Each structure stands twice: as C-alpha cells, then as structure tokens.
Amino acid sequence: MAQGIIENLITQLTKLPGIGRKTAQRLAFFILTMQTEDAKAIAESIVDVKDKARFCSICFNITDKDPCNICSDSSRDKSRICVVEEPSNIIAVERTRIFDGTYHVLLGALSPLDGVTPDRLKITELVNRLQLNNVSEVILATNPNTKGEMTARYITEIIKPFNVRVTRIAYGLPIGSDIEFADEVTLSKALEGRREL
Amino acid sequence: MAQGIIENLITQLTKLPGIGRKTAQRLAFFILTMQTEDAKAIAESIVDVKDKARFCSICFNITDKDPCNICSDSSRDKSRICVVEEPSNIIAVERTRIFDGTYHVLLGALSPLDGVTPDRLKITELVNRLQLNNVSEVILATNPNTKGEMTARYITEIIKPFNVRVTRIAYGLPIGSDIEFADEVTLSKALEGRREL
C-alpha cells in the first residue's frame, strides 16, 4: 500500500473496539492535521496508562499511585463503601457528585458457569476492610442484571455477621424514559420500589 | 476526579472526532486491558505520523519518504495521473486495486467564497508534471459535488492546451443501492451516462 506510516496508524487504530477501517481512516487523517503536541499528548496518555496503571491496594480501583486518590482523600467518608463490579463504574458514580464515601471494586461479578467463583472477586478484601475500619454502610452498586444481582445477594450473606447496614441501589424507570416503552421487569421493580410523596 | 492517568487518557481521546466521553471511556478501559506492547504500538504509530509525515514533492500524497511509495514504484504507469482532492482519497482509489497509474493530490477543492482560489491548490504542480512527463491521461477524481465539479472543470480548461486525454470518474447509482431511493440528480446522471451492453 501507499503510505507506510498512515497505513500503520490506521491498522493500529482498528485494534480498538468499535473502530472499523473507515473510522480509523478518518481518525488517522484527523491526527495528521492536529497540532503535533496535541497528537503526541494522546500517544503519551496511552503510554502513561500502560506504564503506571495498577490497582489500589485498598479498593482495587485503577490508579497511578497507591492508595488511590479517593482512598487517600481525607475528606471522603471512610465509613461508607460503595461496591462496584469494575473500575469504570466508579467514574459513573463519581459523575453523579452525590457520593462522598469510598469504593470497593470487585473486579467482576459472580458467574460460576464462566468460572468466576467468589474467590476470583475481591470479596475477602472487602470483608477485611469491614473488620479493620469502622464501616457503617455498604452500598451494593453491582449491575442490575443476573450476575450483578447474584453477586449482591452473595455479598449480603457474607456481610451479615458484621452488623453493617447493606443497601442496594434502586431499580426503576430511567429519568426521561416513557412508561409506555418500559420493559415489564423494570416497570414491576419501579412499582415495587414506590415511595411515599 | 479519581484516576489521574485514566481521566487524562479519556480527555485526550475525546479530542478525536466522533469520540464523545462515553466512547473515550470505553476505549480507555479497553486500552487498560490490552497487551502493553499493543497499546504502545498505537501510541508509537501516532508519534510516527506526527514526526515523519510530509507531502510527496511529486504528487502531494502524505508519505514518510520522498518521493512517496507510489511515485517511486517503477511498476506504476507514470503516463496516467489520477487527480484527487485529499490524500485520503488515494487510499480509497487504491483499495479498488484497478488503478496502476500515479496520483496528484490537489490538497483541496476550489471554493472561491472560502478563499480557496486555484493558486491555493496544487494545480500549477500538476501542469508542471504534464510538461515534464509523457502523460497520456488525466483522470479527474475530485468529489461529485459542487466544489469538486468546479475544480474538475477548471483543471480541464487549464489542461486543454497540453493535448492530454482528460476523463472524469463516472456518476451513477452506487452498487447495491435501490433505484426507488436514488435521488433525482444521481438518477439523471445515471441515465445520461448509460452505456451499450
């Protein structure tokens, strides 16, 4: 093919999920027109992540320093732990700006058929945190699907002896949605979870 | 925010066209799970392009060596020049594998209202190539829109004195499309351009 380096960039970009040849081509030619420093900043941020990213030894969030920014932030409420499946879920919860506690990343959800048994998740580490710290509430923010649900129930059982308040994020209709198009399961959960006004 | 390096990577990726925060986040977490060498290959290909990319002095294709691979390939037919607007168009034509001539990139299309006058495009350079080499055919593969059309007509006028065959890529219905949904202009061009079977 014609352009060695461009072709190489296009090929490299297609390795990313959801980026086919046409998108990769568009991105490559955009990168060509970018300021050199801006383009190199993208490259550096990729290298940085691969060189420096590791798990926080407390909450298993991905971080470049250990403990992570949240765990080492003295203004965060250490008595509340929000349990999530993946580090990316933390970003989603953080974006709400209504939670000032800490997190615990399980690094997955129970799925015995796929070989994901409790010992594969960071559940023991969560229990250790309960024993060491004065934790008042564990918020289970695993996904509202079969695996996440099973994981939440399993953790609830495990945590019971510690006399800690265990909560589950609410199910219901998403804001901005339409009852007419809601699926039955979500709608029944929304009815079950109704609250006094 | 929580993760310095991840957040930085996400922000960097959103600088690319068509990549919003959610896509950037998905890409960033995918990059986290990639093999380090694969991820760094992406970064390197970006740096490579910014460090080495320049225009071929003959055809103005983007290349890392001058003349570019196509211009320096002795198996390519130097007597036919396919004129395109942008380097990315070369990739599209090359992918057809039916053209073994050379290219000439105008680096734009005429658009007097936007200040793109003939002197802004590589038209003089095209004329020089006609004078120097033994060119038998110039294929105008500028875009089938107002600017590309105007550019093609302008170049046709300029080239006339050189007694070179000037052709324009065909207009018509795209393969796999449906006459029912074709726009009138395309359909009339397809009718005008009909050929004996």
Side-chain angles (χ1 to χ4, degrees):
Chain A
M1 271 299 283
Q3 303 116 312
I5 44 173
I6 310 278
E7 270 304 309
N8 181 39
L9 176 56
I10 295 173
T11 311
Q12 292 297 338
L13 292 174
T14 54
K15 290 184 186 164
L16 296 172
I19 301 206
R21 256 205 93 75
K22 288 220 168 165
T23 311
Q25 200 172 308
R26 194 162 48 86
L27 293 178
F29 280 98
F30 180 86
I31 289 171
L32 268 171
T33 63
M34 283 175 92
Q35 294 288 324
T36 301
E37 60 201 78
D38 289 346
K40 287 193 176 174
I42 299 177
E44 275 161 32
S45 64
I46 294 174
V47 173
D48 258 15
V49 156
K50 298 311 287 185
D51 281 345
K52 299 179 190 158
R54 57 206 143 120
F55 292 119
C56 170
S57 59
I58 299 175
C59 73
F60 298 95
N61 185 7
I62 288 164
T63 176
D64 51 335
K65 56 173 194 170
D66 191 15
C68 73
N69 285 336
I70 297 179
C71 287
S72 57
D73 182 346
S74 60
S75 72
R76 310 277 311 208
D77 179 359
K78 303 286 186 300
S79 73
R80 284 183 300 140
I81 299 179
C82 177
V83 176
V84 294
E85 293 179 18
E86 299 293 345
S88 54
N89 302 152
I90 294 185
I91 295 187
V93 178
E94 281 294 280
R95 217 177 293 126
T96 66
R97 293 172 193 275
I98 62 160
F99 182 68
D100 69 343
T102 54
Y103 294 91
H104 190 86
V105 184
L106 298 171
L107 297 178
L110 286 181
S111 179
L113 289 178
D114 303 319
V116 185
T117 45
D119 55 298
R120 293 291 198 88
L121 304 179
K122 301 297 179 188
I123 295 176
T124 318
E125 289 80 354
L126 173 64
V127 172
N128 290 344
R129 284 177 75 182
L130 299 183
Q131 286 170 319
L132 288 171
N133 303 103
N134 200 9
V135 176
S136 62
E137 181 178 5
V138 170
I139 302 167
L140 297 172
T142 51
N143 287 326
N145 56 26
T146 321
K147 291 179 190 176
E149 208 51 45
M150 192 179 0
T151 311
R153 280 169 197 226
Y154 181 84
I155 293 176
T156 310
E157 284 304 308
I158 296 285
I159 287 179
K160 239 177 203 168
F162 294 92
N163 214 4
V164 171
R165 187 174 169 221
V166 181
T167 55
R168 179 87 174 104
I169 46 164
Y171 310 108
L173 298 173
I175 304 300
S177 66
D178 195 319
I179 291 184
E180 188 180 343
F181 303 117
D183 65 286
E184 317 85 85
V185 185
T186 303
L187 195 51
S188 13
K189 292 287 182 189
L191 284 167
E192 279 169 33
R194 68 191 180 277
R195 287 159 57 167
E196 297 279 351
L197 283 181
Chain B
M1 272 301 282
Q3 303 116 311
I5 45 173
I6 311 277
E7 270 305 310
N8 181 39
L9 177 57
I10 295 173
T11 311
Q12 292 297 339
L13 292 173
T14 54
K15 289 184 187 163
L16 297 172
I19 302 209
R21 256 203 94 73
K22 288 221 168 167
T23 311
Q25 201 171 306
R26 193 161 49 85
L27 293 178
F29 280 98
F30 180 85
I31 289 171
L32 267 172
T33 63
M34 283 174 92
Q35 294 287 325
T36 301
E37 61 201 75
D38 288 346
K40 287 193 175 173
I42 299 177
E44 273 160 33
S45 65
I46 295 175
V47 173
D48 258 15
V49 157
K50 297 312 287 187
D51 281 344
K52 299 179 189 158
R54 58 208 143 118
F55 293 119
C56 169
S57 59
I58 299 176
C59 72
F60 298 95
N61 184 8
I62 288 164
T63 177
D64 52 335
K65 54 173 195 171
D66 191 17
C68 73
N69 285 336
I70 297 178
C71 288
S72 57
D73 182 344
S74 60
S75 72
R76 311 274 316 204
D77 177 2
K78 302 286 186 302
S79 73
R80 284 182 301 142
I81 299 179
C82 177
V83 176
V84 294
E85 293 180 17
E86 300 293 344
S88 55
N89 301 152
I90 293 186
I91 295 187
V93 179
E94 281 294 280
R95 217 177 294 124
T96 66
R97 294 173 191 273
I98 62 160
F99 182 69
D100 69 342
T102 55
Y103 295 91
H104 190 86
V105 184
L106 298 171
L107 297 179
L110 286 180
S111 180
L113 290 177
D114 303 319
V116 185
T117 46
D119 55 297
R120 294 291 198 87
L121 303 179
K122 302 297 178 189
I123 295 176
T124 318
E125 288 81 354
L126 173 65
V127 172
N128 290 344
R129 286 178 74 181
L130 299 183
Q131 286 171 319
L132 289 172
N133 303 100
N134 200 10
V135 176
S136 62
E137 180 179 7
V138 169
I139 302 166
L140 297 172
T142 52
N143 286 326
N145 56 26
T146 321
K147 291 179 190 175
E149 209 50 46
M150 191 178 3
T151 311
R153 280 167 197 230
Y154 180 85
I155 293 176
T156 310
E157 286 303 308
I158 295 286
I159 288 178
K160 240 178 202 167
F162 294 91
N163 214 4
V164 171
R165 187 174 170 222
V166 181
T167 55
R168 179 87 174 104
I169 46 164
Y171 310 108
L173 297 174
I175 303 301
S177 66
D178 195 319
I179 292 184
E180 187 179 345
F181 304 117
D183 64 286
E184 316 85 84
V185 185
T186 303
L187 195 50
S188 15
K189 292 286 182 190
L191 284 167
E192 279 170 32
R194 67 190 180 280
R195 288 159 57 167
E196 299 278 351
L197 282 181

